[in-house]
Amino acid sequence: MRFAMASSINIKNGLLTTKNSLHIKIPYPTFKQRPTEIKCSRALTTGQHNEQYCIDVVRKRDYEGFLCSLLFPEAVRRSALALTAFNVELAQIKDSVSQKTIGLMRMQFWKSAVEDIYRDDHPAQPVSAELWRAVRKHTLTRRWMLRIISEREKDLEDKAYRNLQELEDYGENTQSSLLYLLLETLGVKNVHADHAASHIGKAQGILTCLRATPYNSSRRKVYLPMDICMLHGASQEDFIRGSRDQNVRDVIYDIASQAHVHLQHARSFSENVPQAAMPAFLQTVSNFISFSSSPLPTPH
């Protein structure tokens, strides 16, 4: 319809009126966002927050693990960070609680979280949410996660290891279990890689205990294997007062030597370990370099 004069047109209350009293309804435009679009945008925002939370936790609490995670293939990097953040969260419980009961409650929270993840019940906690995503993407084994939690729970007893075997078991159940999960994110299913991961985890567990000895001693706590200490006549008080006597050096040397034995065993599988598995073992390099940068005690 054409109108001869613009002055003959009037718009009022959403109606276009001409001088001939012709009324044409002009609807006001409205814009609606579909519920699915709203849900997707929120999920994206939440997912980004959860990912950043894991990055921050790992960067702050396990900087070596953070640097190594950056070298993972992009397709699995987010999952690797989630697993490392999970391990960090568990590891810091012991030092962050004043009572064992509180620590046990936190461990129970993580046990329940893992069970919820495998029931496909999307958790709200950021690390748990990222684990849920990693499990769905890579079909990760629940047993390894629960084994890490159980071993960390036993560690709340706050006692020295009775012997070197107990310390090796600790490394196997924590560090090796984490490596098995990282191998799964990389899609590696290889018996030689698993054997290497077992020995590397034990070596890392031993080194972690050694590297933490000065800090623990400053808090009047010594966790070094008692059988090795007794063998060389070194008491816990020797470590607490920072003794550098030969018997203390012998204890450190014997324990470090066992870590080196496990490292050598791991290296013996190198020719049969798929190249795709290598990112999972990168932190071994940084751990051993950091430890070897300080002078190793010599035996008698």
Side-chain angles (χ1 to χ4, degrees), residues 269-284:
F269 296 101
S270 59
E271 293 184 0
N272 299 309
V273 173
Q275 188 65 31
M278 295 308 170
F281 302 141
L282 286 174
Q283 194 165 349
T284 308

Side-chain angles (χ1 to χ4, degrees), residues 65-132:
F66 169 72
L67 292 178
C68 293
S69 68
L70 299 180
L71 300 176
F72 271 70
E74 186 176 356
V76 302
R77 190 177 302 147
R78 183 172 174 179
S79 298
L81 279 165
L83 289 167
T84 308
F86 168 66
N87 187 56
V88 169
E89 290 277 6
L90 292 171
Q92 67 183 8
I93 289 177
K94 182 176 180 177
D95 290 333
S96 63
V97 298
S98 57
Q99 298 178 6
K100 178 184 173 182
T101 303
I102 299 174
L104 291 173
M105 291 170 63
R106 292 192 183 180
M107 293 296 180
Q108 183 57 49
F109 163 82
W110 283 108
K111 286 181 182 178
S112 300
V114 169
E115 295 296 344
D116 289 343
I117 286 169
Y118 282 89
R119 284 197 294 265
D120 204 21
D121 184 1
H122 194 302
Q125 201 270 353
V127 176
S128 299
E130 287 295 283
L131 278 181
W132 174 82

Side-chain angles (χ1 to χ4, degrees), residues 2 13-14 25 98 129 138 170 187 191 194 215 252 259 298:
R2 295 179 61 186
N13 296 328
K25 181 70 174 180
S98 57
H138 306 287
Y170 167 82
V191 64
D194 289 343
Y215 168 73
I252 301 300
T298 54

Side-chain angles (χ1 to χ4, degrees), residues 21 26 44 56 72 78 82 105 107 121 126 147 156-157 159 167 174 177-178 193 229 240 272 279 287:
S21 300
I26 302 178
L44 180 62
D56 292 342
F72 271 70
R78 183 172 174 179
M105 291 170 63
M107 293 296 180
D121 184 1
R147 194 163 80 158
L156 292 175
E157 294 293 335
K159 296 179 180 178
L167 179 53
T174 55
S177 295
L178 177 61
C229 292
I240 291 172
N272 299 309
N287 282 340

